[in-house]
Amino acid sequence: MTSWLVIIVLVLLSIAVWQLTKIFDLTQVGSHGDNSQIADDKDNNIQGYLMFGFLAFIYIFTIYGLLTWGHFVLKNPASEHGKEIDRLMNITWVLIFIVQAVTQVLLHYFAFKYRGRKDQKALYFADNSRLEFVWSVIPAVVLAGLILYGLYAWTNIMFVDENDDVIVVELYAKQFQWEARYSGEDNKLGKANVRYIEGVNTLGVDMADPHAQDDKTATELHLPKGKRILFKFRSQDVLHSAYMPHFRAQMNCVPGMVTQFSFTPTITTVEMRADGDMIKKVENINRIRSEKSKILVAEGKSPLDPYTFDYLLLCNKICGQSHYNMQMKIVIDEPQDYKKWIDSQKTLAQAIKDDKASKEAPAEKPVGTPAAADSMKVVAQVVKK
């Protein structure tokens, strides 16, 4: 409500200023002013100096942004290819900054130097083949280098042989939840289709497929450190996007098709929590949460719990009202810890079997029912005899 009041006040203020300018124009009627609407040397000088002012604003704001928000950038990628992604991004940023610094300075300087003057005519060049060749070839070479480097990094993520030593994991997206399915001992996922969704089989796995018998499902994603993971993505309803920022990985989940990428985790959850940069981030988050908790307590509400770092799988597409809350915890374990965890998980086939047995089991009649009372009477009569 407060935001709407602020907007209304700003709109009314703008209308008032607009009306005041009209009144001011009316008061100038009959005065000896220049109403020709043609820029003179004074106007051109003002515009030229304003160009320098805007140039200064660009660089001051850029430096301010780096100093103020630079610490939000994620450091220390937790996957093998993450270092390549960060290196490619840093090269791109440096190139953009250099080109922007040179071109913006020249643009604003020339706008000032060649500003309009009385009785001055611009010199017209029909063409300049050498200049056009230079400014076409240099960007083409630089962009080609960036594209080739990007394709190299992309290939490492996208192309992997399933027969290699990899773990195949499916991530299933639906509003507004993620579920994981592990391929089991045969390292092959069973076929799946939304038509098979029933009961505990929430991923629609075809249990007639032999490869589905050892598949395991989980609502928390555990991965072993140092092992290549091949992810398969499906969506049940709308377009989602699997985003793992600390692993520098993202892939769309498209209804009706399977997409994939792979990476190798390199830093466990415990190791990342002990990272110096992450410790500072967590301390800053908990400082903010502590200040917010004081306000909540004063309002009679429960305080916020302290934040502990965890890797997260997020949805990076606006998929509905609860899009912001569509996330899954990712735990990177040491290989031996991962093996203990995956061995403790029940297969989907066993989960379906247990669920079916629990539904088919006859309900036991508790003591105190009429049938139980009749049985007690018979026992009492036998004892008397």
Side-chain angles (χ1 to χ4, degrees):
M1 187 62 184
T2 304
S3 301
W4 280 109
L5 289 174
V6 171
I7 293 172
I8 292 171
V9 170
L10 290 175
V11 171
L12 293 175
L13 183 62
S14 301
I15 294 173
V17 171
W18 175 51
Q19 293 295 331
L20 287 173
T21 57
K22 292 176 67 176
I23 294 172
F24 177 78
D25 290 339
L26 291 172
T27 61
Q28 301 303 307
V29 174
S31 62
H32 299 284
D34 183 7
N35 297 319
S36 64
Q37 302 295 316
I38 298 176
D40 55 19
D41 286 348
K42 180 182 178 181
D43 296 325
N44 291 329
N45 287 334
I46 292 174
Q47 295 299 320
Y49 288 116
L50 284 175
M51 294 298 285
F52 276 127
F54 188 70
L55 178 65
F57 167 77
I58 291 175
Y59 287 102
I60 291 172
F61 186 78
T62 300
I63 295 171
Y64 171 79
L66 290 173
L67 295 176
T68 305
W69 301 299
H71 65 281
F72 287 118
V73 176
L74 292 178
K75 301 177 182 178
N76 201 11
S79 62
E80 280 187 358
H81 77 273
K83 295 180 180 179
E84 293 292 337
I85 298 295
D86 283 5
R87 189 176 295 113
L88 178 60
M89 282 295 298
N90 291 333
I91 291 173
T92 304
W93 282 119
V94 170
L95 288 173
I96 289 175
F97 184 80
I98 293 173
V99 172
Q100 187 258 3
V102 174
T103 57
Q104 292 300 314
V105 168
L106 292 176
L107 172 67
H108 292 78
Y109 170 72
F110 286 141
F112 172 79
K113 181 178 179 180
Y114 298 107
R115 64 192 183 277
R117 291 188 179 90
K118 189 177 181 180
D119 301 328
Q120 177 177 280
K121 293 183 179 181
L123 181 63
Y124 174 71
F125 282 95
D127 59 73
N128 189 323
S129 300
R130 181 179 299 177
L131 183 60
E132 292 176 3
F133 178 79
V134 170
W135 73 35
S136 298
V137 169
I138 293 177
V141 172
V142 173
L143 288 175
L146 291 175
I147 291 171
L148 290 174
Y149 194 180
L151 286 174
Y152 168 76
W154 178 253
T155 301
N156 288 340
I157 302 172
M158 292 300 298
F159 298 100
V160 58
D161 189 349
E162 294 186 31
N163 295 321
D164 293 342
D165 188 20
V166 298
I167 297 176
V168 182
V169 179
E170 179 185 71
L171 291 176
Y172 190 62
K174 56 184 175 180
Q175 293 175 315
F176 299 95
Q177 181 184 2
W178 295 97
E179 287 189 69
R181 177 163 63 114
Y182 294 81
S183 53
E185 295 294 331
D186 61 0
N187 206 31
K188 291 186 178 181
L189 293 167
K191 296 178 182 178
N193 192 294
V194 292
R195 296 181 178 88
Y196 296 119
I197 294 177
E198 183 181 1
V200 296
N201 187 6
T202 55
L203 278 70
V205 179
D206 182 3
M207 298 312 298
D209 186 348
H211 295 304
Q213 303 309 308
D214 58 354
D215 289 356
K216 298 181 178 182
T217 61
T219 54
E220 185 174 278
L221 183 61
H222 282 248
L223 303 173
K225 173 184 175 181
K227 186 76 171 180
R228 187 77 177 257
I229 313 296
L230 175 60
F231 293 95
K232 304 280 188 176
F233 300 94
R234 287 192 301 132
S235 173
Q236 183 184 100
D237 34 51
V238 299
L239 184 66
H240 298 277
S241 183
Y243 179 43
M244 308 180 198
H246 290 91
F247 303 99
R248 311 300 193 262
Q250 179 175 325
M251 178 56 64
N252 284 344
C253 306
V254 185
M257 67 180 295
V258 177
T259 54
Q260 70 175 45
F261 68 61
S262 69
F263 64 76
T264 303
T266 57
I267 303 176
T268 66
T269 299
V270 174
E271 291 171 340
M272 184 59 84
R273 286 174 178 171
D275 179 75
D277 184 66
M278 187 54 64
I279 290 174
K280 292 180 181 178
K281 289 182 182 293
V282 171
E283 289 176 349
N284 184 54
I285 292 172
N286 281 327
R287 178 183 58 79
I288 296 172
R289 293 173 74 88
S290 177
E291 294 173 356
K292 180 64 176 178
S293 293
K294 293 178 182 178
I295 299 173
L296 292 174
V297 171
E299 295 175 350
K301 300 177 182 179
S302 300
L304 300 174
D305 295 328
Y307 170 73
T308 302
F309 169 79
D310 280 306
Y311 293 118
L312 290 176
L313 166 62
L314 307 171
C315 179
N316 209 24
K317 286 283 189 295
I318 301 178
C319 57
Q321 291 183 343
S322 295
H323 151 75
Y324 69 95
N325 202 33
M326 185 173 170
Q327 54 187 253
M328 173 190 276
K329 180 180 176 181
I330 303 175
V331 181
I332 306 300
D333 294 315
E334 293 290 350
Q336 61 273 17
D337 295 327
Y338 169 77
K339 189 176 186 309
K340 291 179 182 178
W341 178 84
I342 195 67
D343 289 343
S344 67
Q345 301 303 303
K346 187 184 298 185
T347 64
L348 180 59
Q350 185 63 45
I352 293 174
K353 183 178 179 180
D354 293 346
D355 181 66
K356 185 177 180 180
S358 65
K359 292 178 179 178
E360 293 178 350
E364 296 183 0
K365 294 182 179 180
V367 175
T369 61
D374 293 342
S375 300
M376 294 297 291
K377 290 179 181 179
V378 172
V379 171
Q381 293 176 357
V382 172
V383 172
K384 289 180 180 180
K385 291 179 180 179

